[in-house]
Amino acid sequence: MAKIKTVYVCQNCGVQSAKWVGKCNSCNEWNTYVEEQVGPPEKELTNWREKDSKSPTSKPIRLNEIENNSEKRIVTYDKELNRVLGGGIVYGSLVLIGGEPGIGKSTLMLQLALSSKRLKVLYVSGEESQQQIKMRAQRIGQSSDNCFILAETSTQHIFTQIREIQPDILVIDSIQTLHTPRIESAAGSVSQVRECTAELLKFAKESNTPVFLVGHITKEGSLAGPKVLEHMVDTVLQFEGDRHLAYRILRTVKNRFGSTSELGIYEMQSTGLREVSNPSEILISQREADSPGVAIGASIEGNRPLLIEIQSLVSTASYGTPQRSSTGFDAKRLNMLLAVLEKRGGFRLSSQDVFLNVAGGIKIEEPAIDLAVCASLVSGLHDAPISDKTAFAAEVGLGGEVRAVNRIDNRISEAEKLGFTEIFISKYNMKGLDPKKYEIKIRPFSRLTDVFEELLG
Ligand code: TYD
Ligand code: MG
């Protein structure tokens, strides 16, 4: 009998070591090594095909002769999902969906299965029984003749059913519950997750079937199991949001077939997830007309313009060092903008506690909302509300200059569509822009000081 080998595997990053160590040399985490047994290396991956059928060996072909399949995608009924996937599901792709427990991953996948009525979907659950899934489907209020539910965790058995059913789409909920008989260690361990993913990857590529993997997330917020999982799959989507609020954001973290800055927004209702096709409305709707410290920035996430509300609270620091806290906006950039306002605008912010928040739980990384952040801070400092019909779209430079941003026309149109009457932009964005085209008043500025002269009078 082949000797069973054991190795110690870091459960955080997947690095192996021959002996146990307290601190991982690779990711510097403590106490993450767990002993795992590995099967004899010469044994092949559990093949999704019949036992004796040999998988075809691949041959090199000329690049020009390779069929271009990129345009062939499965366009689902879920527009938000299509968007984050880059225009639909790519055949043979492996998509990982991560998110905290209870955020709605299983619901999203079941809705996909139920709405794709013409496609055979095999939904494999290692977490819930068939009855539980039936109850969920009843709650969502949809049903499909082509949706097959399998409660199973062994990859070998799953592949037997796959050969039987021949699904068009496979959903695995979740990858951490699967185990392959090839490896001795417990389900959810790094080696198991890696091997099971490898088997599913092989299946996806050889059969050209798209596979969705649901993945758990650790307390720190990264995908549980190893980084290796992220490397193996084609697309990583992250499902985010506060469990206590209804809004959920599906974000593309990695995508071999599209842009990574896409965002899908859903609302969790009592009958499942509803797509939110006009997010700006929900992100800025809950606002009193004259609250100080609030400014609206015209941002673009992926291909979609988003008007977002920046709120700030500025109050005199009661302790020596003032506090700076920011939610949804880069803290370093906030500090930079505070320094610019202090130095170039003469605003006394260094003795103030500053709390900045992007409403709706959204994270914004683009500098185009700098001007909105500055406006919000100054409005908060002076307790001077900004009109709720004013939007901002410009970057702020270290010299206190108002800089141009990309795709200004999209931002202006979105602000106009949502009923804003004026938008502050950079003078340098005026080139090639026809203000007569818009009903909204376009206010060009080149210096931050001029903006505040205008706002504060
Ligand atoms: P679920 O999809 O089970 O989350 P995950 O798979 O990410 O752990 O979602 C569970 C939550 O969603 C649960 O708290 C109940 C809620 N929910 C609704 O509010 N409405 C619904 O129609 C459904 C199906 C779930
Ligand atoms: Mg679930």
Side-chain angles (χ1 to χ4, degrees):
M1 201 183 112
K3 195 168 167 248
I4 292 172
K5 211 175 117 200
T6 71
V7 288
Y8 292 86
V9 183
C10 172
Q11 301 294 305
N12 188 50
C13 67
V15 159
Q16 297 188 354
S17 157
K19 59 182 191 334
W20 188 85
V21 278
K23 185 184 176 195
C24 176
N25 277 331
S26 165
C27 65
N28 290 333
E29 285 295 313
W30 285 90
N31 273 337
T32 50
Y33 277 79
V34 168
E35 183 175 14
E36 290 183 6
Q37 296 179 342
V38 283
E42 65 275 15
K43 211 159 142 189
E44 279 245 353
L45 290 180
T46 311
N47 200 341
W48 65 277
R49 292 171 196 274
E50 309 287 350
K51 269 214 175 58
D52 27 344
S53 79
K54 282 263 176 291
S55 56
T57 47
S58 60
K59 277 195 214 104
I61 26 176
R62 289 195 182 87
L63 184 65
N64 295 344
E65 288 167 9
I66 299 176
E67 243 183 285
N68 184 4
N69 276 339
S70 67
E71 293 311 309
K72 289 190 202 141
R73 291 181 187 239
I74 303 175
V75 179
T76 70
Y77 285 95
D78 185 339
K79 292 197 191 67
E80 303 294 302
L81 187 64
N82 291 338
R83 184 201 309 276
V84 292
L85 289 173
I89 307 172
V90 175
Y91 285 98
S93 64
L94 195 59
V95 181
L96 176 65
I97 299 192
E100 284 176 22
I103 202 84
K105 303 180 293 295
S106 307
T107 309
L108 182 73
M109 286 295 101
L110 189 61
Q111 276 183 242
L112 168 71
L114 294 175
S115 64
S116 318
K117 294 196 194 327
R118 262 183 273 145
L119 297 173
K120 241 191 239 173
V121 184
L122 177 60
Y123 182 106
V124 180
S125 179
E127 302 194 335
E128 289 162 307
S129 67
Q130 285 157 321
Q131 281 73 26
Q132 279 172 310
I133 296 169
K134 173 82 186 170
M135 276 160 59
R136 190 193 296 263
Q138 280 169 340
R139 198 170 166 186
I140 295 170
Q142 286 195 37
S143 127
S144 159
D145 271 349
N146 268 333
C147 174
F148 295 82
I149 308 291
L150 173 68
E152 180 57 72
T153 56
S154 156
T155 53
Q156 215 173 22
H157 295 150
I158 293 172
F159 286 133
T160 315
Q161 297 309 322
I162 286 176
R163 286 195 295 272
E164 185 101 337
I165 294 174
Q166 307 229 329
D168 298 307
I169 298 177
L170 175 67
V171 177
I172 303 284
D173 187 1
S174 65
I175 184 71
Q176 275 89 3
T177 55
L178 289 202
H179 69 90
T180 162
R182 204 172 93 80
I183 290 197
E184 302 278 326
S185 59
S189 68
V190 174
S191 330
Q192 279 290 4
V193 167
R194 190 171 41 207
E195 287 311 304
C196 294
T197 311
E199 290 174 12
L200 289 162
L201 181 71
K202 193 164 148 62
F203 161 70
K205 300 296 166 199
E206 290 183 3
S207 67
N208 222 11
T209 310
V211 178
F212 284 86
L213 304 176
V214 170
H216 290 185
I217 222 165
T218 62
K219 331 190 253 309
E220 290 81 33
S222 57
L223 276 162
K227 274 273 170 216
V228 288
L229 194 56
E230 286 187 32
H231 293 303
M232 290 166 87
V233 301
D234 298 306
T235 304
V236 180
L237 305 179
Q238 188 121 346
F239 215 11
E240 300 170 354
D242 192 328
R243 227 182 330 156
H244 306 291
L245 294 175
Y247 295 107
R248 304 280 188 271
I249 294 164
L250 189 61
R251 191 186 284 280
T252 319
V253 179
K254 161 182 174 177
N255 195 356
R256 288 192 182 136
F257 313 111
S259 138
T260 51
S261 48
E262 290 295 353
L263 207 67
I265 302 185
Y266 295 90
E267 182 183 1
M268 181 62 96
Q269 296 183 326
S270 57
T271 52
L273 290 160
R274 180 185 70 92
E275 300 157 40
V276 176
S277 43
N278 190 357
S280 299
E281 269 172 18
I282 57 157
L283 292 175
I284 56 178
S285 60
Q286 305 145 17
R287 167 181 189 197
E288 294 293 318
D290 53 354
S291 32
V294 175
I296 308 294
S299 171
I300 288 192
E301 281 282 325
N303 278 321
R304 146 200 281 200
L306 265 189
L307 271 94
I308 44 161
E309 179 175 322
I310 316 280
Q311 310 171 329
S312 63
L313 182 66
V314 180
S315 71
T316 311
S318 34
Y319 300 103
T321 325
Q323 292 188 57
R324 264 83 225 263
S325 144
S326 132
T327 316
F329 186 70
D330 182 26
K332 283 201 191 110
R333 190 139 192 113
L334 171 63
N335 281 331
M336 184 206 102
L337 293 175
L338 286 169
V340 170
L341 285 171
E342 178 108 22
K343 184 94 183 165
R344 311 286 176 207
F347 295 104
R348 308 265 313 155
L349 284 154
S350 57
S351 56
Q352 307 281 332
D353 284 340
V354 174
F355 304 94
L356 190 92
N357 181 29
V358 178
I362 292 223
K363 277 196 209 86
I364 297 290
E365 278 163 12
E366 65 157 12
I369 61 161
D370 283 356
L371 190 59
V373 170
C374 290
S376 151
L377 291 169
V378 171
S379 158
L381 177 71
H382 286 271
D383 264 333
I386 297 172
S387 155
D388 62 352
K389 294 279 172 254
T390 303
F392 300 86
E395 187 182 335
V396 172
L398 287 180
E401 73 276 21
V402 178
R403 303 173 62 99
V405 293
N406 61 0
R407 296 162 64 187
I408 191 74
D409 41 343
N410 291 12
R411 301 176 200 261
I412 296 174
S413 310
E414 180 74 5
E416 181 175 285
K417 206 167 81 194
L418 292 173
F420 286 83
T421 53
E422 60 174 357
I423 182 162
F424 284 39
I425 66 168
S426 163
K427 195 180 85 184
Y428 302 101
N429 261 141
M430 294 303 284
K431 264 185 247 149
L433 197 72
D434 179 14
K436 285 195 229 75
K437 226 174 70 187
Y438 304 97
E439 268 174 37
I440 186 171
K441 198 163 163 204
I442 296 171
R443 314 285 307 267
F445 290 91
S446 59
R447 306 212 56 82
L448 206 48
T449 42
D450 300 340
V451 174
F452 291 117
E453 218 159 88
E454 177 66 34
L455 282 179
L456 301 172

